[in-house]
Amino acid sequence: MAVKIALAGNPNSGKTTLFNALTGSNQFVGNWPGVTVEKKEGRLKDQKDVMITDLPGIYSLSPYTLEEVVARNYLIHERPEAILNIVDGTNLERNLYLTTQLLELGIPVVVAVNMIDVVNKNGDLIDTQQLAKALGCEVVTISALKQTGIQEAAALAVKLAKQGQALPPAHRFSPKVEKVLDAILSQLPAEIPSEMQRFYAIKLFERDDKITAKMNTVPDVGALIQKAEDELDDDAESIITNERYNYIGSIIHQCYTKKNQSRMSVSDKIDSIVTNRWLALPIFILVMALVYAISMGGWSISIGTLGTDWANDVLFGEWVPGAVDAFLQTMGVGGWLASLIQDGMVAGVGAVLGFVPQMLVLFFLLCILEDIGYMARIAFIMDRIFRRFGLSGKSFIPMLVATGCGVPGIMASRTIEQDRDRKMTIMTTGFIPCGAKMPIIGLFAGALFNNSAWVATSAYFIGVAAVIVSGIILKKFKMFAGDPAPFVMELPAYHIPSASNVLRGTWERGWSFIKRAGTIILLSSIVLWFLQGYGFVDGVFQAVEDNNSSLLALIGNAVSWIFYPLGWIGDMAWKATVATVTGLIAKEEVVNTFGVLYHYSGELSEAGNEIWTLIAADFTALSAYSFMIFNLLCAPCFAAMGAIKREMNNSKWTLGAIGYMCGFAYVIAMIVYQIGGLITGETPFTIFTVIAMVLLAALVYLLIRPYKESRTLEVELKETAKV
């Protein structure tokens, strides 16, 4: 039977880094039963009988968030043989709050003080022997990033797990509180195990309904608790919180020595600049502009673009088609089958895979920013901005995740406690350009904007602007009204990025992109090849030379009129419409569709400019930008829609979210094309211009409209409270 060890700790304490180091590739990722919180398990390297469960990052065992409920339920009901508690040594006091609660569960605990290398570098000193004595458990020092001491910590946890006996927690509260706890202990139901009785007594003192509701008998201790609250002049939960911090403070005084209390750390000095009230946002804009310039720009530093040019010109322009053509000739394959393989599968999938170098460079740079600790600062910076528009600062975390993929971005909204804030985050996270949308930007940036890095940068900030505008508008309706949830987040110390963490994160995101190209996109390429290669000519179904006579054109033309106000007109109207519709399968399909359509009658040149020329002939710069905006802001791919359905858990809310995104995208794209065209002289003054102006006026009105619904809700809540 496998030994179960739980990995517990605060967010940003290095828990995930330690989990990856201990388990390597022996990891299993899924969801916890009954809830949509990610579950990570893995077998300890060289010890297949030891299973490590990476619990969600939490600050306490109080049921404030879904993550805390999941972690607590696992520890109480699954009862792992040991807990490996990761503690950030640079923020010992805050992290020990969770430790004191873990020790009350009656499970053997090993406290691993992480980032000891940073502690030592700062000249600080942690007396681990004194800390172990004060806590009543084993304490070791590690550096998960540098992988020092981690095997010893794991071995100690396995040893304690096999011994199977936990020491009683060493910490005690004040005499008045302990007296109440003793009285509660004497009345606990007999079915509660002795090693967990103190945990339950404390939870009863705190009036934790989610714990007491599961007990067969609830002790009548209300009078005792009320007396303690009266004597200490505070509510029961705050009393316990204060008692814990008083105890932790005494520990810190005994075992932690800071070299220079007044000296600012390196992280503090950096933060004084990058989180500065006036400099933070410009620095953030410059950082993101540099990221997109390196990954997708047209400059000498644009490594991603160089890789994509090589992939399009050489790999999928010469090598792969040449190798496939030689193979087909050797096998004697020709006719429609050869066309299917070359023009459908190779051209379609190759049009998407050609953007893999840009994706990998983008993911690599984002992983570096995440690993050094800057992403957490971005969340802090954006919180100050978002709260001005009625959005929770926590809403930006899913949006950061969504830069890689919208699916985990939407799923990350689970950390938001308030239902209305969570739903609004789900409805707006899809506006952020994910990795799958980057090929769309890259294609049009190359075809019509001379590989301008500002096109990619503007796409990102259009997504952020859409989130902000939506937040202002939606917050003024009753269903979303109210103050946003408070933002609480630990800012980790800056450190040199771990090569293994960065490469692992880059590969996981990049491989997800590649897998979709090899599965969904491959199958849809075959369907697209058939639809654009066959049609009715003079009433006869046959292969067509001109894809304007194809089934695909027939379908596209039937619905393309909807997009005329967005500038999708002429021969390209049905192509743009079909590309948008197939983009619902996967956003990479937009480029794939153009690849199939424009590659049907010829191969790419060595420079890979033929498809750009054909697109540039069909689109103007303004209509291309309108197309790009609509596809960036409209409904996400089917996988992301499924994530919305899971997170909303309601069909009406799901349809409402998808409908809102499509409607918002249509309005913005129409305003850009119609009013922009009127300014540049590209479009005449028509009824669509009037409609665009009315929509713009309505948008401005919704932005400046007073928060009537919010005030109405506030009055209703006050009246309800009186009753």
Side-chain angles (χ1 to χ4, degrees):
M1 185 176 179
V3 174
K4 295 185 296 183
I5 297 177
L7 208 59
N10 289 184
N12 297 313
S13 61
K15 185 169 56 64
T16 300
T17 303
L18 178 61
F19 176 73
N20 291 335
L22 292 177
T23 59
S25 59
N26 304 314
Q27 298 180 9
F28 318 97
V29 180
N31 280 345
W32 292 89
V35 294
T36 51
V37 173
E38 190 175 70
K39 179 181 184 180
K40 288 185 178 180
E41 290 183 320
R43 297 189 183 277
L44 185 63
K45 289 180 181 178
D46 303 323
Q47 294 192 51
K48 303 303 181 184
D49 63 332
V50 178
M51 181 68 70
I52 298 179
T53 300
D54 184 18
L55 297 178
I58 55 175
Y59 291 107
S60 73
L61 293 180
S62 300
Y64 294 128
T65 67
L66 187 56
E67 282 73 16
E68 290 173 343
V69 172
V70 165
R72 190 172 74 172
N73 287 346
Y74 176 81
L75 293 171
I76 292 174
H77 302 300
E78 297 296 325
R79 302 291 295 172
E81 280 76 21
I83 300 172
L84 187 53
N85 176 211
I86 313 305
V87 170
D88 180 0
T90 64
N91 197 356
L92 199 59
E93 184 173 5
R94 179 67 186 86
N95 282 239
L96 287 179
Y97 186 85
L98 174 63
T99 304
T100 61
Q101 293 180 306
L102 295 175
L103 291 168
E104 293 160 0
L105 291 169
I107 301 173
V109 175
V110 174
V111 173
V113 181
N114 192 24
M115 305 184 193
I116 194 64
D117 53 324
V118 179
V119 174
N120 293 335
K121 185 178 180 180
N122 291 338
D124 302 336
L125 178 65
I126 298 176
D127 187 340
T128 54
Q129 291 185 347
Q130 183 62 37
L131 181 60
K133 181 180 178 181
L135 292 174
C137 67
E138 298 287 350
V139 177
V140 296
T141 57
I142 67 169
S143 173
L145 190 64
K146 296 184 177 180
Q147 298 192 10
T148 57
I150 62 173
Q151 297 301 332
E152 293 79 0
L156 184 56
V158 172
K159 178 183 176 181
L160 292 180
K162 291 180 178 179
Q163 289 177 354
Q165 186 175 2
L167 296 173
H171 68 273
R172 285 291 182 269
F173 299 137
S174 65
K176 287 184 179 180
V177 175
E178 286 294 339
K179 183 178 179 180
V180 178
L181 291 177
D182 288 340
I184 296 174
L185 285 167
S186 66
Q187 300 183 51
L188 286 179
E191 63 265 22
I192 296 179
S194 59
E195 65 272 13
M196 291 194 66
Q197 288 185 354
R198 183 172 175 83
F199 173 78
Y200 274 94
I202 293 172
K203 288 303 173 185
L204 282 168
F205 187 98
E206 292 178 324
R207 293 194 176 97
D208 188 334
D209 293 336
K210 292 188 177 182
I211 286 291
T212 57
K214 296 180 180 180
M215 298 170 59
N216 294 333
T217 306
V218 179
D220 184 16
V221 294
L224 289 172
I225 298 172
Q226 186 61 54
K227 183 179 179 181
E229 288 178 329
D230 292 340
E231 291 181 359
L232 297 172
D233 192 25
D234 209 343
D235 65 274
E237 189 174 11
S238 297
I239 290 171
I240 293 295
T241 301
N242 291 332
E243 293 282 334
R244 290 191 192 280
Y245 275 118
N246 288 337
Y247 172 70
I248 293 170
S250 66
I251 294 178
I252 296 296
H253 181 73
Q254 296 175 37
C255 66
Y256 183 63
T257 305
K258 196 171 183 64
K259 182 179 180 181
N260 191 339
Q261 295 285 349
S262 60
R263 190 185 67 179
M264 291 179 64
S265 65
V266 175
S267 290
D268 291 336
K269 291 178 181 178
I270 297 174
D271 281 341
S272 66
I273 298 174
V274 300
T275 63
N276 179 272
R277 185 178 186 87
W278 306 109
L279 297 177
L281 192 57
I283 290 174
F284 167 53
I285 294 173
L286 288 175
V287 168
M288 295 309 299
L290 182 62
V291 166
Y292 279 94
I294 294 173
S295 59
M296 308 190 69
W299 303 338
S300 58
I301 62 171
S302 303
I303 303 171
T305 301
L306 293 175
T308 287
D309 288 345
W310 177 85
N312 286 329
D313 298 349
V314 181
L315 184 61
F316 293 107
E318 298 177 0
W319 292 0
V320 173
V324 171
D325 190 53
F327 175 77
L328 294 177
Q329 289 181 8
T330 301
M331 300 300 294
V333 177
W336 68 269
L337 183 57
S339 176
L340 167 63
I341 295 172
Q342 282 282 37
D343 300 324
M345 298 168 65
V346 174
V349 175
V352 176
L353 290 182
F355 290 95
V356 167
Q358 287 182 326
M359 297 301 98
L360 292 178
V361 172
L362 175 64
F363 295 153
F364 179 76
L365 294 174
L366 291 177
C367 285
I368 289 177
L369 293 178
E370 187 176 339
D371 207 47
I372 64 176
Y374 183 63
M375 281 299 193
R377 271 73 183 180
I378 294 176
F380 171 73
I381 294 165
M382 296 305 295
D383 174 58
R384 294 187 304 201
I385 299 172
F386 270 36
R387 294 188 73 82
R388 294 177 182 269
F389 306 113
L391 286 166
S392 166
K394 289 187 177 181
S395 297
F396 196 68
I397 306 300
M399 294 167 196
L400 287 178
V401 177
T403 58
C405 178
V407 175
I410 292 167
M411 294 168 67
S413 64
R414 301 165 185 166
T415 59
I416 302 173
E417 296 89 349
Q418 292 188 14
D419 184 63
R420 59 174 180 269
D421 290 343
R422 184 170 56 82
K423 285 178 177 175
M424 191 161 65
T425 300
I426 293 170
M427 292 176 66
T428 55
T429 295
F431 290 145
I432 300 297
C434 66
K437 295 176 182 178
M438 290 299 106
I440 304 173
I441 300 169
L443 181 66
F444 283 95
L448 289 128
F449 298 101
N450 195 28
N451 268 330
S452 172
W454 291 108
V455 173
T457 306
S458 69
Y460 181 83
F461 287 104
I462 284 172
V464 174
V467 172
I468 293 174
V469 170
S470 295
I472 296 172
I473 293 174
L474 293 176
K475 207 68 177 177
K476 294 177 181 178
F477 291 91
K478 189 172 182 178
M479 63 184 71
F480 296 108
D483 294 330
F487 180 82
V488 179
M489 185 177 187
E490 203 97 24
L491 293 182
Y494 289 102
H495 56 76
I496 297 173
S498 164
S500 60
N501 286 348
V502 171
L503 293 176
R504 181 190 295 271
T506 302
W507 173 247
E508 286 176 353
R509 297 176 186 180
W511 177 237
S512 175
F513 182 87
I514 295 169
K515 277 195 300 185
R516 293 169 72 176
T519 53
I520 297 174
I521 295 174
L522 178 61
L523 294 174
S524 58
S525 294
I526 297 173
V527 174
L528 283 172
W529 170 85
F530 173 76
L531 291 176
Q532 63 88 38
Y534 290 84
F536 291 93
V537 179
D538 297 327
V540 179
F541 183 74
Q542 61 184 21
V544 295
E545 293 289 336
D546 183 4
N547 55 24
N548 285 292
S549 303
S550 66
L551 291 172
L552 200 60
L554 183 66
I555 297 170
N557 283 320
V559 296
S560 61
W561 59 270
I562 298 173
F563 299 102
Y564 286 168
L566 309 189
W568 308 2
I569 55 179
D571 290 339
M572 71 84 164
W574 70 268
K575 298 175 184 177
T577 301
V578 169
T580 299
V581 173
T582 55
L584 298 177
I585 300 172
K587 286 301 176 183
E588 303 96 321
E589 275 298 296
V590 174
V591 175
N592 170 45
T593 301
F594 283 128
V596 172
L597 293 176
Y598 288 116
H599 278 242
Y600 183 68
S601 59
E603 296 289 342
L604 282 172
S605 65
E606 291 184 3
N609 292 331
E610 284 189 21
I611 185 173
W612 288 1
T613 302
L614 292 170
I615 288 177
D618 280 345
F619 288 85
T620 65
L622 194 57
S623 64
Y625 206 74
S626 166
F627 177 88
M628 189 176 71
I629 286 177
F630 183 81
N631 279 273
L632 292 180
L633 300 181
C634 75
C637 63
F638 285 159
M641 289 186 202
I644 292 174
K645 176 64 170 66
R646 288 194 299 271
E647 298 307 312
M648 289 291 194
N649 198 27
N650 183 289
S651 297
K652 291 183 179 179
W653 271 103
T654 301
L655 293 175
I658 294 171
Y660 174 77
M661 285 186 273
C662 290
F664 187 85
Y666 191 93
V667 168
I668 299 302
M670 184 178 181
I671 290 172
V672 167
Y673 181 74
Q674 292 296 333
I675 297 180
L678 189 65
I679 295 172
T680 61
E682 182 175 321
T683 60
F685 189 89
T686 65
I687 184 63
F688 295 129
T689 310
V690 175
I691 295 173
M693 289 180 174
V694 171
L695 289 174
L696 179 60
L699 199 63
V700 172
Y701 169 72
L702 289 173
L703 286 172
I704 64 176
R705 182 171 74 101
Y707 285 82
K708 293 181 180 178
E709 296 292 348
S710 297
R711 289 203 294 269
T712 302
L713 180 64
E714 185 179 349
V715 171
E716 289 179 357
L717 291 174
K718 288 181 178 178
E719 292 299 323
T720 303
K722 290 179 181 178
V723 174

